[in-house]
Amino acid sequence: MARVRTGVRTVGAVLAAVLAGSLAGCSATGGKRAEDARKAAAAEGRAAVTTPRWTFAMVTHSGAGDTFWDIVQNGAGQAAAKDNINFLYANSDEAQQQAQLVDSYIDKKVDGLIVTLAKPDAMKAVVAKATRAGIPVITVNSGSEQSKAFGALSHIGQDETIAGEAVGDELDKRGRKKALCVLHEQGNVGHEQRCAGAKKTFEGSLENLYVDGTNMPDVQASIEAKLQADPSVDAVVTLGAPFADTAVQAARNAGSKAEIDTFDLNAKVATSLKDGKLGFAVDQQPYLQGYEAVDLLWLHRYNADVLGGGRPVLTGPQIITGKDAAELKDYTERGTR
């Protein structure tokens, strides 16, 4: 039988390789039957593997109503179904509570953990506890700089500083001169890195605006007041898709012609890009973050695989504009982009 190499990729690809080896010498018809069976299992939400039903838990710093994390969960859930994984999810935008949730899953002796490190100081001890207990940990989305030091196997996400620098470059291309960077979660190191990165490469001036992301009317009022007070602002960058439309409303109420741009993508953002209400979005592929995190934990349990060589596995950034939106529309509507 030919030797099979594995890595982080869809289990369909892994199984296809296994089947190719095990069915060597068999007819093409037999191979097609096996492939059809695999596709049928995936379509019906059945596991495509016969490994033990391990339990993996994901704990994020998500607040209520953030569609970004719905997309992450969609990816994780679909990988879990394919990999015969019992998938658990919990979240809190309060750092200490997030750490307590992780601690509770350690006590339950889960087989793998996926965590975000938006506020790394609060998570350091509990991640160390998990690794001491022999529970493999993968970090996603935030905390790429701390992930390896904390003992995680890999980090999957985008480099927030690089993403911010891409925003600064894009603002320059669009001829913008003065921008607001709207931070909706104080203490989130990733948000600070995004704005700092944008400020580094933007040739104009950029000012941080801190808002209470749990209170959308307050977010709108804060942006509106800033735009009314300073008509020279010609760009507003929000750090999450749910805040983009709020910024559009604020600019309209303030009588501002500032372009609204955003980090992250969802169906509403894609439509607004297509309609010209938004200038551009920065996509970090949250579906991929959830999917690959679960898949990599499965591969580590099954085959002792790791990915990244101690460096983050990057899922972004990708600048999305109106011309890209039509192509992505179907994907955003089904919750995978």
Side-chain angles (χ1 to χ4, degrees), residues 31-324:
K32 184 177 184 304
R33 282 199 300 267
E35 178 65 11
D36 288 346
R38 183 193 65 77
K39 289 180 179 178
E44 295 170 11
R46 292 186 282 114
V49 296
T50 57
T51 47
R53 189 162 175 79
W54 293 308
T55 295
F56 297 162
M58 175 184 283
V59 184
T60 75
H61 65 277
S62 170
D66 192 337
T67 55
F68 178 92
W69 294 103
D70 295 338
I71 301 170
V72 174
Q73 288 184 73
N74 285 344
Q78 290 191 25
K82 170 181 60 63
D83 292 342
N84 193 33
I85 297 301
N86 177 34
F87 177 68
L88 307 175
Y89 179 84
N91 63 285
S92 175
D93 56 3
E94 296 292 336
Q96 292 302 325
Q97 191 170 32
Q98 184 193 6
Q100 289 168 8
L101 289 167
V102 174
D103 197 43
S104 71
Y105 284 131
I106 295 171
D107 291 342
K108 291 177 181 176
K109 301 185 183 335
V110 296
D111 300 296
L113 274 166
I114 302 162
V115 301
T116 60
L117 302 178
K119 297 172 182 174
D121 290 345
M123 297 293 292
K124 182 177 182 179
V126 76
V127 172
K129 179 179 177 180
T131 58
R132 287 196 304 270
I135 300 173
V137 179
I138 289 178
T139 59
V140 297
N141 180 259
S142 53
S144 61
E145 295 181 357
Q146 296 84 7
S147 178
K148 182 180 179 181
F150 284 12
L153 294 175
S154 299
H155 178 83
I156 300 174
Q158 72 178 2
D159 184 297
E160 303 292 18
T161 299
I162 292 174
E165 291 172 355
V167 167
D169 288 337
E170 186 67 20
L171 291 173
D172 288 334
K173 290 178 185 177
R174 292 166 176 268
R176 302 298 158 181
K177 302 300 181 185
K178 191 168 187 178
L180 287 180
C181 194
V182 183
L183 297 93
H184 61 267
E185 185 182 345
Q186 293 197 34
N188 186 319
V189 294
H191 289 185
E192 297 287 349
Q193 289 168 344
R194 289 178 181 181
C195 293
K199 189 171 186 176
K200 179 180 177 181
T201 56
F202 183 39
E203 295 176 358
S205 63
L206 183 144
E207 179 182 348
N208 288 356
L209 177 65
Y210 292 90
V211 298
D212 179 5
T214 64
N215 185 340
M216 202 62 84
D218 177 74
V219 173
Q220 181 171 326
S222 297
I223 297 173
E224 188 175 325
K226 189 65 180 178
L227 293 176
Q228 287 175 335
D230 190 353
S232 66
V233 173
D234 58 7
V236 176
V237 180
T238 63
L239 301 188
F243 302 93
D245 187 59
T246 299
V248 169
Q249 295 292 335
R252 182 181 298 120
N253 292 348
S256 170
K257 296 187 181 298
E259 176 181 283
I260 310 301
D261 307 304
T262 191
F263 279 78
D264 302 333
L265 187 68
N266 62 16
K268 194 163 191 176
V269 166
T271 299
S272 294
L273 287 168
K274 184 174 178 292
D275 295 343
K277 294 178 181 178
L278 297 177
F280 66 89
V282 183
D283 185 24
Q284 60 175 309
Q285 302 185 101
Y287 177 89
L288 197 58
Q289 292 178 15
Y291 190 100
E292 293 297 349
V294 169
D295 220 27
L296 182 52
L297 277 179
W298 177 82
L299 281 164
H300 183 72
R301 280 290 183 187
Y302 172 67
N303 204 48
D305 286 312
V306 294
L307 193 67
R311 296 180 179 272
V313 179
L314 300 183
T315 63
Q318 180 183 8
I319 300 294
I320 305 293
T321 64
K323 64 183 177 62
D324 307 307

